[in-house]
Amino acid sequence: MEENKSQDNFSKLFKKYNDSNYVKYLYANRRENVDIGLVKHPFSFVKKKFIENINYSESNSFESLLHFKNEIDSKFTNAYNCFELEYSILTTDKSKYLNKIINYLLECIQAIPNSQNKEVEHHNSIITYAIMGILAKISLSHIHIHINKTNRKKLSKWYKLEEPILSFESISIVGDKRFQSLYYDHMGSFINQFNTDWYVFKALFLGKPLEKKIDWKDGKSSLYFFIKLLINSKVIVNPKNKHWQITAEFFLVKNETISASDMLNQKPTTDKRKIAKLKKFVSLINW
């Protein structure tokens, strides 16, 4: 089988979507040769040339096929580890990165030819099985929330993928710089800002799947008031009775999980200072 160099650096696809200042600094100091030697993405070795250059054993014995499978498994395990690393530290565009990988792997399955030659067919089946194994890992792990609708439909033929709960979607909201300032100036009484950064909180308004729960350090009554305030002030698109399901998905209260039924039976806070603070924050982000 053709020897394929293992990935030993960030891939071109990761570089395209990552906005880490550290990575930008590294690339900025490499001048024009930044992409030389980098793989396109962790699974880019699975291509036509890779398939065509497989050294099919004349023996179709169990031992020879097992040896081939072990080689393939090793390559795919290494590629998946590189993929997980790149995916986990992407700071933006996780969905774009993930779906590019899925598209490629699905195309690879379609491109593997059928053969009347038993030796060739057996080896191709092993490669197909390995690709399907990667798609299964992705589909059945927590990262499936970033699979787009098109790929979700394709993968649902083989795997059961739950539809992710998306956050609220704002009608109009201030830009990042102002939102960050307002968050730290006005929400310190309600959110544990050591555990929840401003961009985690802003995701609550962007119609996105969960990345990390928001740590609401005040009680359920103020959270209840806040969510109702967002709806009544028309800061967010009306969630059509899904607001407590979304709240339970995206919030911890005093570092504990909550259920939609907890919020359904909750009463709003009557603390005038808390009400005034939350109203001011909501009015300032609703531009």
Side-chain angles (χ1 to χ4, degrees):
M1 183 169 55
E2 181 193 37
E3 185 63 31
N4 288 277
K5 184 181 177 183
S6 297
Q7 182 179 350
D8 56 7
N9 205 335
F10 291 121
S11 71
K12 294 179 184 179
L13 189 61
F14 172 85
K15 181 203 161 196
K16 179 180 178 181
Y17 291 129
N18 190 58
D19 70 355
S20 162
N21 289 329
Y22 172 69
V23 173
K24 280 184 175 179
Y25 171 79
L26 289 179
Y27 283 117
N29 287 278
R30 284 193 184 182
R31 299 183 181 176
E32 297 177 357
N33 295 330
V34 61
D35 286 342
I36 292 179
L38 298 188
V39 299
K40 185 177 179 182
H41 59 73
F43 298 100
S44 56
F45 69 90
V46 191
K47 50 193 175 183
K48 186 177 180 182
K49 186 178 178 183
F50 173 76
I51 303 295
E52 290 177 345
N53 283 276
I54 290 173
N55 182 20
Y56 301 107
S57 171
E58 292 182 4
S59 170
N60 204 27
S61 67
F62 179 87
E63 289 80 9
S64 66
L65 290 174
L66 182 60
H67 177 73
F68 177 75
K69 185 179 184 304
N70 287 338
E71 283 190 274
I72 292 296
D73 287 347
S74 176
K75 287 184 178 296
F76 275 90
T77 297
N78 180 71
Y80 188 79
N81 287 338
C82 292
F83 158 76
E84 274 196 330
L85 171 62
E86 293 191 344
Y87 175 87
S88 65
I89 62 176
L90 272 177
T91 50
T92 62
D93 292 327
K94 283 181 180 288
S95 181
K96 287 182 180 179
Y97 174 88
L98 173 61
N99 285 288
K100 285 273 189 179
I101 298 289
I102 293 173
N103 289 341
Y104 184 85
L105 291 173
L106 289 171
E107 288 169 5
C108 285
I109 291 174
Q110 293 301 316
I112 294 174
N114 294 322
S115 175
Q116 298 300 316
N117 184 309
K118 283 187 177 182
E119 285 75 17
V120 174
E121 186 62 26
H122 289 162
H123 285 72
N124 286 353
S125 294
I126 290 169
I127 297 170
T128 300
Y129 188 85
I131 297 171
M132 293 293 291
I134 298 298
L135 293 173
K137 280 186 177 182
I138 292 171
S139 300
L140 302 176
S141 73
H142 69 283
I143 66 176
H144 81 85
I145 60 176
H146 284 122
I147 299 175
N148 63 29
K149 288 183 178 180
T150 301
N151 284 333
R152 187 172 291 274
K153 185 176 180 180
K154 292 176 182 176
L155 293 172
S156 65
K157 294 184 295 184
W158 303 303
Y159 317 110
K160 185 178 179 181
L161 284 79
E162 293 183 7
E163 287 292 331
I165 297 172
L166 301 180
S167 62
F168 300 114
E169 191 170 351
S170 66
I171 295 172
S172 176
I173 200 165
V174 296
D176 284 354
K177 190 173 181 180
R178 179 160 172 77
F179 187 94
Q180 180 180 4
S181 176
L182 293 174
Y183 171 72
Y184 288 116
D185 288 346
H186 298 282
M187 294 301 287
S189 299
F190 304 100
I191 297 176
N192 183 343
Q193 295 181 340
F194 291 104
N195 293 340
T196 305
D197 211 336
W198 68 271
Y199 56 83
V200 172
F201 184 57
K202 191 171 185 181
L204 181 69
F205 303 90
L206 303 179
K208 290 186 172 183
L210 176 69
E211 289 279 358
K212 184 179 179 183
K213 284 182 180 279
I214 299 161
D215 190 359
W216 191 269
K217 68 181 182 182
D218 203 57
K220 293 176 188 174
S221 61
S222 60
L223 178 57
Y224 180 97
F225 180 84
F226 176 63
I227 300 301
K228 282 289 191 179
L229 182 62
L230 292 176
I231 297 169
N232 295 335
S233 300
K234 297 183 178 179
V235 172
I236 56 175
V237 176
N238 193 317
K240 297 180 180 178
N241 296 323
K242 293 182 179 179
H243 48 292
W244 299 134
Q245 183 186 24
I246 296 170
T247 303
E249 175 77 0
F250 282 82
F251 283 91
L252 297 172
V253 173
K254 296 182 178 179
N255 206 33
E256 293 186 357
T257 57
I258 57 173
S259 66
S261 60
D262 290 337
M263 300 306 297
L264 184 64
N265 299 316
Q266 184 61 50
K267 293 185 183 292
T269 182
T270 56
D271 187 309
K272 291 182 180 179
R273 289 181 301 173
K274 292 180 181 180
I275 290 172
K277 284 182 179 180
L278 290 171
K279 281 186 173 180
K280 184 168 185 180
F281 175 76
V282 169
S283 67
L284 290 171
I285 64 168
N286 188 22
W287 277 17

